[in-house]
Structures are given as C-alpha cells and as structure tokens.
C-alpha cells in the first residue's frame, strides 16, 4: 500500500471508531438521536475534516458490516481511492478499492 493509501486508511478507520462510540452513546439515551438520526463525523480521507453528518441507525449498522465502507459528506469522496456505493440526503456511502 502506498504511503497515501495508508494515511487514507488510518484516517477512515479512526473516524469509523469515533462514530461507533458516538452511536454507542445513543443506545442508552433515546433523546440523543433526534428524529432517529445519529450525529456522526464524516469518515473521509481528509485528516483535517470533522464535518458533521446525520445517519439513521439502520444504515449506520449496515455500513459497519462491511469494513471497506464509510460514510462521508458529499464532495468529500476520493475518486482515486473509493467508489460511491449510494447517495443519500446529506451523506454518501463509499467503498474503498483494493486491500
């Protein structure tokens, strides 16, 4: 894996972990996710990005089932490293290419 690829992977994995912890907080606090949406952080490759996104819990759990899929804000996708799987209101589901 190239140095850039390794950096992208580390950043995406970091924000995936942050979002798993955020979602876990909502389990014990029903009012935490207003309108059924989890307040998450964009999981894009940009190390300086902390833009918020809102995702329903079902979609969040489905994306977590595939280690190559991430939730990113529109315009934050990296066409060199990932493909858009699905476009949703306020966020994209992307899948990284390769290993």
């Amino acid at each position: 894996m190239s140095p850039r690829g390794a950096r992208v992977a580390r950043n995406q994995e970091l924000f995936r972990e942050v979002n798993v912890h955020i979602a876990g907080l909502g389990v014990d606090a029903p009012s935490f996710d207003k309108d059924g949406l989890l307040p998450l952080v964009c999981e894009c490759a940009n190390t300086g990005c902390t833009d918020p996104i809102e995702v329903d819990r079902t979609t969040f759990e489905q994306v977590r089932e595939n280690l190559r899929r991430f939730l990113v804000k529109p315009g934050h996708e990296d066409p060199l490293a990932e493909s858009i799987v699905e476009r949703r209101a306020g966020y994209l589901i992307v899948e990284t290419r390769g290993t």
Side-chain angles (χ1 to χ4, degrees):
M1 179 181 293
S2 71
R4 180 185 181 285
R7 179 187 54 79
V8 166
R10 278 193 309 274
N11 195 63
Q12 288 176 317
E13 290 167 9
L14 170 68
F15 282 109
R16 175 194 300 270
E17 189 65 27
V18 167
N19 285 338
V20 166
H21 288 291
I22 290 171
L25 293 173
V27 169
D28 296 326
S31 62
F32 184 75
D33 48 338
K34 80 174 172 53
D35 302 327
L37 299 176
L38 296 168
L40 304 176
V41 179
C42 178
E43 299 173 345
C44 73
N46 180 352
T47 56
C49 179
T50 57
D51 288 358
I53 57 173
E54 292 184 325
V55 178
D56 65 274
R57 186 172 293 280
T58 301
T59 299
F60 175 77
E61 291 171 357
Q62 289 172 345
V63 170
R64 293 294 76 102
E65 290 174 4
N66 185 329
L67 295 177
R68 293 178 52 204
R69 292 196 176 175
F70 298 91
L71 300 159
V72 302
K73 195 168 183 175
H76 291 214
E77 66 275 14
D78 182 350
L80 298 176
E82 56 204 16
S83 300
I84 297 172
V85 173
E86 196 170 333
R87 295 178 188 275
R88 300 273 183 104
Y91 65 93
L92 305 172
I93 300 170
V94 298
E95 185 170 311
T96 57
R97 294 190 189 109
T99 56

